[in-house]
Structure formats: structure tokens, C-alpha cells
Amino acid sequence: MRERRGRWHGQEEVVMVHDTTMRMSFVQLGKGGFGVVYEGRRLDDDLKPDHPNPLPKEIALTILVNKGHRVPEIIRLLDWTDHPDHFVMVLECPSPCENLVEFIRRHGGSVDEETTRQIMWQAAHASHMCCLRRVFHRDVKLENLLINRETSEVKLIDFGCGDILGSSPFKSYHGTAAYSPPEYYSRGEYCGWPATVWSLGIVMFTLLCGHFPSDYDLYLLQYKQWSKPGCQKNAVTSSGFSSM
């Protein structure tokens, strides 16, 4: 049985990870312009894990999102080590693969509706599992989705902009501006689940059209008036990730 929960200790966020062999907590030690550092401890005996140094946030999130049953659409962390001024992550390497920017370019600038549907189902599933495991990726984009050129399997990578997903809205945005949710600019805050769905929508539109949606595209989409020759009328609005 596996269980995850989070709580606050003063100004420190504690994320607990429970499974049948180990119970871990990650406590935020501090953050700077390039990341946040967490310290991990075993809850059973209050000892730190074998690695002597605190966990960088990207590593902590990658470990947390892979707890539980394996999700093939999420990249796995195999090992890691740190150095005085950087850390090294050893990740699984799907081969042969490319990111979706390269994939679109190789297919002439955009892809057909059926291919887009297959890619988006996997991207949405990966993002959905991240949110269920309380990991907010915050940078779901073409560059962070790898696709196997032979099997068309998709993997979500790079949790460097991520955070723990809680009930409170976020006040700052650390992902890629082109994928940022509109409510961040209109209200100065946003929530993780809707922001994830928005970024998936940008990915899907770009796969189909070969460019980011313009303000006019977004206006037409809002009123379900957008269309593209060769696509079903609801190709963009029926995304396949309504469960999110």
C-alpha cells in the first residue's frame, strides 16, 4: 500500500512518501534563483537516506512522481550525484527518440489529427498522474515531451520548473511564457490543474497547426468557432483529457 500526503511546518513544507519498504519526508531547506533544495529523511528512524546531501528539488519531484506503480509516460530517475556547483541526474534514455519540436519539423511543420490524438493521450495521462501524485510539472511543452521514432511512445521529462501541488494558488510562474495560463496575467495567480490543462492545449494546437495560437485563435476557440481545413470541427476542443 502506498500513500502520499503533505503538510506545513511553519514556513517549511513537508512531503511524506509512504510505501511498503520506506517512509520518507522531504523538507524544504531553501530556494534561490535556480531551484529549491529539499532534505530527505526516513520517518521510521529519522535517518537521512544513503546520499549525504540534501535533495535538489528537481530530483525530489522526479522521485516523488515515480512512486507507486510505474507510469511509462513519465521519465524515470535511475541515479543521481551532486557536486559543489551542480548535480547530475541519470535518467532512462528511450531510443531512438526526439522531442516534439524535432518531430513536428521532421513531419513538415505539423502532424495529422490521428497522430496528434495518440500523442496527446499519452501526454495527458503523464500530466494527470503527475497531478494525482501532487507534482506540478509547470513546464509541459513540446521540448519536454520525447517521442520514440519507432514506437510513438511519449515520455514527459524535466521537472526543473516544478513544485509540490497543493490547494493554494501559485503567485509566480517559472515555466515557459508561451505556455503560461492567462489567469496569471489577469489575476496574478493560477492553480496547478487548470494551468496543466492549458499547457496541454497549447501543445495540441501547435502539433495540429505548426504554430502557437494567436489571440484571434484563442477568441475563436473560446466561442467554439475555430476550424482548420482537414480537421474535425471539434478537433482542438475535444482534447481527450477531459478527466483532468
Side-chain angles (χ1 to χ4, degrees):
M1 178 178 181
R2 297 173 176 86
E3 175 187 358
R4 298 161 192 83
R5 67 181 186 272
R7 55 192 173 89
W8 288 93
H9 278 187
Q11 298 299 313
E12 295 181 331
E13 183 177 3
V14 179
V15 180
M16 295 186 183
V17 179
H18 297 238
D19 60 27
T20 55
T21 59
M22 184 184 301
R23 300 190 308 148
M24 295 288 298
S25 68
F26 297 112
V27 181
Q28 180 176 317
L29 298 180
K31 60 182 177 180
F34 296 94
V36 179
V37 178
Y38 284 80
E39 179 183 31
R41 288 182 178 273
R42 291 201 301 251
L43 297 179
D44 292 335
D45 53 12
D46 201 41
L47 293 178
K48 296 181 180 180
D50 293 338
H51 202 284
N53 295 322
L55 284 174
K57 188 175 185 180
E58 180 177 358
I59 292 173
L61 293 175
T62 309
I63 292 173
L64 186 61
V65 80
N66 279 286
K67 288 292 182 180
H69 71 272
R70 186 185 174 197
V71 180
E73 296 83 7
I74 297 176
I75 200 75
R76 285 189 302 157
L77 177 66
L78 304 179
D79 198 1
W80 70 279
T81 183
D82 64 352
H83 302 273
D85 59 348
H86 68 281
F87 59 88
V88 176
M89 301 173 67
V90 181
L91 301 163
E92 66 173 320
C93 182
S95 179
C97 72
E98 59 192 352
N99 66 39
L100 290 186
V101 172
E102 298 163 332
F103 180 80
I104 292 174
R105 187 180 299 121
R106 190 164 56 85
H107 284 78
S110 63
V111 297
D112 61 74
E113 188 176 336
E114 180 57 32
T115 302
T116 297
R117 183 180 293 110
Q118 293 174 3
I119 292 172
M120 290 310 304
W121 189 95
Q122 297 177 79
H125 180 62
S127 302
H128 182 65
M129 292 305 300
C130 288
C131 291
L132 287 180
R133 293 174 175 180
R134 298 189 59 247
V135 173
F136 179 27
H137 187 283
R138 195 157 44 190
D139 203 21
V140 178
K141 60 181 180 179
L142 297 171
E143 291 87 345
N144 286 339
L145 289 162
L146 300 182
I147 185 167
N148 188 304
R149 292 196 298 268
E150 295 179 351
T151 65
S152 297
E153 294 174 315
V154 172
K155 287 188 184 291
L156 178 63
I157 66 169
D158 193 352
F159 289 81
C161 292
D163 210 331
I164 297 298
L165 182 60
S167 57
S168 300
F170 294 90
K171 306 290 186 180
S172 60
Y173 190 78
H174 301 291
T176 303
Y179 295 82
S180 58
E183 59 268 27
Y184 173 60
Y185 299 100
S186 62
R187 301 200 301 264
E189 62 181 29
Y190 61 97
C191 294
W193 283 86
T196 299
V197 173
W198 177 269
S199 62
L200 286 167
I202 299 295
V203 169
M204 182 170 60
F205 187 97
T206 310
L207 284 169
L208 281 171
C209 301
H211 60 83
F212 289 108
S214 65
D215 290 342
Y216 186 59
D217 288 323
L218 296 175
Y219 171 81
L220 293 177
L221 286 167
Q222 181 179 359
Y223 294 100
K224 299 184 179 180
Q225 297 298 315
W226 185 90
S227 64
K228 178 189 175 185
C231 283
Q232 296 180 22
K233 186 175 181 180
N234 63 347
V236 171
T237 55
S238 61
S239 58
F241 42 82
S242 58
S243 61
M244 294 187 67

